[in-house]
Every structure is written in C-alpha cells, then in structure tokens.
C-alpha cells in the first residue's frame, strides 16, 4: 500500500555531518506518517548517515540522487 | 509521583519495560553499557550530543588519507548494532558557556571534561523527563578519565545534572552506591559490572562476549578539546581576536589544514591535500585566498584584517613554499579577495629556514 502524504523539502547544503542528520531529525519530528522529506545536501557523509539514521528509526529512504556535488535523499516518514 | 511496586525480575514481571536513555558517544564503553541494560530487558534509546568539537563525522571525510576508511557516524553505527533508536542533539550554542566558563576548570588542555559530563547528563535528564523515561545510563568507568570519571567526581555529575540516583553507570555500578533503578529492582545489581581503571581489557573481553567487532577506538577520545594541538589553535584564535567568541565555522576550520601565524594580525590556513583544499574552497567567499593556478599545491586562506602589501607578499611566498614549486625560483600565485578581481603575482617560495617553528600553531 502506498500512502500519499505531503511532500516537504529541507535545504542542508553546505552543512557538514552530523548537521544534515540533525536537521533531518528535527524536521521529521514535525511531519506526519507517510509524508516525504527531500533532503538536499552537499556532504557525501550524508549518503551514509541519513540512511543509517532512517534505519534505526524505521523510516524509509525511497530515493537517492546525485547531481554533481548536490545529493538529494528522499525519506518517507514511518508510522509511529 | 506514584512509583510502581518493584518487580524482582523486570524481564518477566513487568509487561511494559522500564525505559533508559543512554548517552552514546560512538565508542566502546557506552555501547557496552547500553548492551548490558538491553540484556536486563530495559527499553533503551540513545542520545548523542553534537558540540562542534566532536571528532565524529565529517573530519575523517575531509582528509584524503582517511578516505579508505568507511565514513560512518559511529554513534549511529552503535545504535544499529544495538537495534535502538538514536537521537542526535545539536548543543553547539549551549555548549559555549560550558567551554568558556567551566566551574570545575579545564583538564590538561581546553577540555572542560567534568562540566561537560554534567552538562550532557543534565540534557539527557531533561530529555528523559520530556519523553517519559525512567533513568539515564552512561558508559562511565571509575578511573577511566583523569577528570570526569573518578570516584570523587562521579557524584558531582549526578548532583549537578539533577539526575541524582536516576543516573546508573552499568560498567562500574557495583563499585558505586545503589541507584534508584537498582533499589526498585528495575535492574539486577548483581548483573552489573565493576570495571575500574584505565585498562581497556575488561571492555574488550565484554565486547568479544557480545560479539562486537569493528567498534571505534579513537586514541584521544571523542573530543577535539582533549587534543593539545587543537587547544593551542583555539587559544591562539581567542588571543588574536581579543575575545573568546566563536562560531561553528571557526571551530571547524581549526580541524582543517596547517595553521601558521607569521604576524600577530593574521594567520594562514594551508590545505594539506585535495580533500582539505576542497573543503577550504567553501570559505573563499569569506577570506582572502591564495593558490597557484599552474603549480599543484595548497589552497590557503588568510584570517585577519588590515593586511599590507608586504603581508600579502609573505602569504604568497608561504603558499608557494607548501606547493610542488617550492624548489623553483618563481611561482605564480593568485590572490583573491572576496568580491574583487583576482590578482596574480610571481614570488620566490619562502625557504624552509625562513619559516620559524613558532609560526606553526
């Protein structure tokens, strides 16, 4: 089942890890289950840290895109 | 507040397990402490504080020499090993008052370890109260750290954090007075540990028992403030500014590059490899930057104001000195001021014997 939630965007460009993860965590805390958050960042460390953070909290990474130095990671917020 | 009747064995007697928030640094001790609690049927979630001085994370990613190692966040890695949630908390702003005015002073460098531990346990206590958790655990071991982890300072942390007897240190609990979770029977004191001293052997044996491999063992702990060279650079920054203000960029830049102060009013930050050059690149809008457009070498930032032509010439000669053209007679260097056209000069690299050791921070 695919639940359709609201789409949100977080600009974490220029931040170094663990700041992109911290900003993602803060933002996800304000979202509803099923919502998606597109995190845009430039630190390659986020490619490891954001999925790891999602795994320990049960959220899902639905897409990862890399265009030049810009990385976009899409997170679907888990139910509580 | 009503305290439920104590159960003799929480794993079998209580349907809703007691909840502990664990301070997780990413190192071995806090990993083991949390594991010991999970074994007793406690619900554990981790909390990790980011002060800006953490060795964790990005710094390993910047330098080229570390690029063969996986760029993982060790606190998140620990949480995954344990199967627990991890909450990473930004305390950069609040931490300033801990670093600038530590009630208990500094350790060997600019490390306010005792105040820092009290601060982190206090933050964990607030989190515990907000989230309906019952107690706090840490990976502290008596005698492990000269300032914060001593028999006489452990009660200071419990008291000043406001955690009191809701603070449990599973790795050395048998050597400390009974805490609330033990008294109430939430955890079995007999199954807690009695580690003490600087030896790492008991921890390594316990890690082997739990089959943990590949855990992080940072030589100087998890904080840059315990590092002598880092503390020296921070003290220099404060002295040069005449104030102990700092922001995140300041303390990040102290982690990167070679730092030289050839004159009291400016210093150079010299990239040591491609990774550092790329990182410093992001600061060219804020600082005067120098580099050779033709000869491989560092990107150099100048931090300081009111630079004279002689100062810039010296900075250019130093930039040439740290590049591959150091043996040649003339090296082309571009000098870029934020928002101005780039200037190009040709300079003689400064010979090694004209770079006094005291310039190096």
């Amino acid at each position: 089942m695919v639940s359709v939630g609201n789409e949100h965007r977080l600009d974490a460009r220029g931040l170094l890890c663990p700041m992109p993860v911290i900003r993602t965590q803060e933002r996800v805390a304000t979202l509803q289950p099923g919502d998606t958050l597109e995190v845009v960042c430039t630190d390659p460390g986020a490619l490891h840290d954001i999925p790891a953070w999602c795994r320990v909290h049960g959220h899902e990474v639905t897409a990862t895109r890399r265009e030049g130095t810009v990385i976009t990671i899409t997170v679907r917020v888990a139910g509580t | 507040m009503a305290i439920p009747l104590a159960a003799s064995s929480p794993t079998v007697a209580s349907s809703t397990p007691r909840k502990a928030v664990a301070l997780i640094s990413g190192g071995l001790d806090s990993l083991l402490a949390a594991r010991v609690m999970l074994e007793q049927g406690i619900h554990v979630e981790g909390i990790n504080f980011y002060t800006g001085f953490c060795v964790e994370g990005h710094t390993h990613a910047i330098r080229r020499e570390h690029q063969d190692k996986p760029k993982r966040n060790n606190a998140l890695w620990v949480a995954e090993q344990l199967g627990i949630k991890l909450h990473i908390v930004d305390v950069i702003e609040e931490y300033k008052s801990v670093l600038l005015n530590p009630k208990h002073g500094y350790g060997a460098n600019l490390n306010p370890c005792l105040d820092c531990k009290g601060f982190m346990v206090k933050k964990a206590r607030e989190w515990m109260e907000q989230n309906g958790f019952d107690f706090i655990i840490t990976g502290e071991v008596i005698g492990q750290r000269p300032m914060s982890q001593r028999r006489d300072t452990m009660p200071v942390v419990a008291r000043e954090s406001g955690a009191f007897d809701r603070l449990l240190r599973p790795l050395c609990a048998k050597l400390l007075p009974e805490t609330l979770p033990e008294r109430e029977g939430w955890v079995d004191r007999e199954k807690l540990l009695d580690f003490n001293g600087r030896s790492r052997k008991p921890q390594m044996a316990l890690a082997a028992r739990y089959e943990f491999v590949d855990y992080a063992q940072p030589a100087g702990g998890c904080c840059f403030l315990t590092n002598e060279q880092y503390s020296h650079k921070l003290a220099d920054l404060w002295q040069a500014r005449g104030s102990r203000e700092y922001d995140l960029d300041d303390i990040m830049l102290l982690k990167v590059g070679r730092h030289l102060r050839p004159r009291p009013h400016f210093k150079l930050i010299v990239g040591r490899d491609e990774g550092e050059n790329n990182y410093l690149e992001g600061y060219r809008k804020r600082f005067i930057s120098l580099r050779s457009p033709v000869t491989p070498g560092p990107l150099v930032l100048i931090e300081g104001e009111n630079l004279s032509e002689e100062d810039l010439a010296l900075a250019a000669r130093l930039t040439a000195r740290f590049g591959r053209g150091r043996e040649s007679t003339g090296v082309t260097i571009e000098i870029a001021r934020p928002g101005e056209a780039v200037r190009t000069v040709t300079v003689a690299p400064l010979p090694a014997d004209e770079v006094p050791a005291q310039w190096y921070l």
Side-chain angles (χ1 to χ4, degrees):
Chain A
M1 191 192 81
V2 179
S3 60
V4 180
N6 293 318
E7 292 172 3
H8 305 266
R9 195 162 186 273
L10 171 68
D11 186 357
R13 285 175 299 175
L15 299 180
L16 289 181
C17 286
M19 292 312 292
V21 187
I22 294 176
R23 294 288 170 259
T24 301
Q25 177 184 271
E26 289 167 350
R27 190 67 180 278
V28 164
T30 69
L31 303 182
Q32 298 299 315
D35 283 0
T36 55
L37 179 65
E38 212 177 56
V39 185
V40 186
C41 47
T42 46
D43 182 354
L47 282 168
H48 184 278
D49 291 1
I50 291 178
W53 179 84
C54 288
R55 284 194 299 274
V56 307
H57 287 270
H59 307 301
E60 189 190 350
V61 174
T62 57
T64 303
R65 251 188 4 256
R66 202 170 177 163
E67 290 158 58
T69 56
V70 178
I71 297 155
T72 307
I73 300 170
T74 309
V75 177
R76 190 196 307 278
V77 179
T80 44
Chain B
M1 192 180 82
I3 296 172
L5 288 174
S8 58
S9 170
T11 48
V12 290
S14 52
S15 50
T16 47
R18 289 285 165 180
K19 294 178 177 179
V21 55
L23 268 74
I24 297 292
S25 65
L28 179 58
D29 293 359
S30 51
L31 166 67
L32 293 173
R35 182 66 182 76
V36 166
M37 285 296 96
L38 289 169
E39 199 166 42
Q40 294 211 24
I42 301 294
H43 172 91
V44 179
E45 294 190 19
I47 194 164
N48 173 261
F49 297 105
Y50 183 61
T51 63
F53 295 103
C54 303
V55 173
E56 192 52 70
H58 52 80
T59 34
H60 298 293
I62 296 169
R63 286 210 77 179
R64 208 139 236 271
E65 67 185 59
H66 296 297
Q67 288 191 350
D68 51 329
K69 293 182 189 164
K71 292 170 206 154
R72 71 181 189 198
N73 176 302
N74 283 307
L76 281 167
W77 180 83
V78 161
E80 277 204 276
Q81 297 299 302
L82 294 166
I84 64 170
K85 289 186 176 177
L86 180 79
H87 310 277
I88 307 177
V89 184
D90 164 9
V91 292
I92 296 166
E93 279 305 312
E94 274 182 273
Y95 196 75
K96 288 180 181 173
S97 63
V98 179
L99 173 59
L100 297 179
N101 302 300
K103 183 173 161 186
H104 300 286
Y106 298 105
N109 298 299
L110 283 173
N111 48 314
C113 291
L114 184 49
D115 288 81
C116 179
K117 186 60 92 175
F119 168 78
M120 290 189 177
V121 175
K122 176 173 88 74
K123 296 296 294 176
R125 179 195 41 90
E126 290 166 1
W127 192 94
M128 169 187 84
E129 289 165 356
Q130 284 156 12
N131 290 277
F133 276 51
D134 301 294
F135 62 102
I136 302 158
I137 61 167
T138 69
E140 290 169 285
V141 167
I142 292 180
Q144 182 83 218
R145 296 253 349 138
M147 192 175 191
S148 55
Q149 298 188 35
R150 292 199 321 239
R151 189 180 288 277
D152 60 326
T153 57
M154 283 186 160
V156 176
V157 171
R159 189 174 64 239
E160 295 188 355
S161 63
F164 299 104
D165 63 354
R166 284 183 189 261
L167 173 58
L168 175 67
R169 286 101 165 188
L171 300 188
C172 61
K174 277 185 171 168
L175 303 173
L176 295 169
E178 226 178 21
T179 60
L180 183 76
E182 296 160 273
R183 265 202 318 280
E184 293 294 329
W186 303 341
V187 303
D188 182 351
R189 182 174 170 93
E190 284 311 302
K191 292 181 184 157
L192 302 177
L193 299 151
D194 58 358
F195 294 175
N196 80 91
R198 300 207 71 152
S199 166
R200 306 290 297 155
K201 284 186 185 150
Q203 284 93 321
M204 286 156 86
L206 189 59
R209 211 189 96 204
Y210 287 134
E211 299 181 345
F212 289 131
V213 286
D214 197 29
Y215 46 83
Q217 300 205 72
C222 58
C223 177
F224 267 108
L225 295 170
T226 59
N227 177 300
E228 184 180 351
Q229 208 190 353
Y230 187 89
S231 290
H232 180 62
K233 286 188 278 191
L234 182 58
D236 166 80
L237 180 88
W238 286 343
Q239 194 194 8
R241 287 197 186 157
S243 134
R244 300 202 301 160
E245 290 300 306
Y246 67 87
D247 62 24
L248 185 59
D249 281 335
D250 292 329
I251 60 182
M252 298 300 287
L253 281 170
L254 296 182
K255 299 175 188 177
V256 181
R258 200 179 258 125
H259 291 231
L260 292 93
R261 186 174 292 284
R263 299 286 181 267
H265 62 292
F266 75 95
K267 78 165 178 179
L268 305 182
I269 304 172
V270 183
R272 289 173 293 190
D273 58 32
E274 197 187 326
E276 290 195 337
N277 282 352
N278 289 340
Y279 178 71
L280 295 175
E281 186 79 32
Y283 288 92
R284 295 183 74 201
K285 286 182 198 146
R286 234 179 90 178
F287 298 96
I288 300 174
S289 59
L290 301 93
R291 85 166 139 205
S292 172
V294 281
T295 317
L299 175 65
V300 174
L301 302 182
I302 301 183
E303 197 196 66
E305 280 167 17
N306 304 321
L307 273 85
S308 66
E309 283 304 309
E310 289 95 305
D311 295 335
L312 287 175
L314 176 60
R317 294 189 69 194
L318 277 161
T319 303
R321 148 103 218 115
F322 291 106
R324 289 234 193 104
R326 68 178 66 88
E327 304 297 340
S328 52
T329 50
V331 175
T332 306
I333 300 290
E334 286 180 347
I335 304 174
R337 278 180 190 270
E340 288 180 24
V342 172
R343 280 168 55 194
T344 303
V345 295
T346 300
V347 294
L350 202 66
D353 59 9
E354 289 181 37
V355 185
Q358 60 268 28
W359 285 7
Y360 288 91
L361 300 174

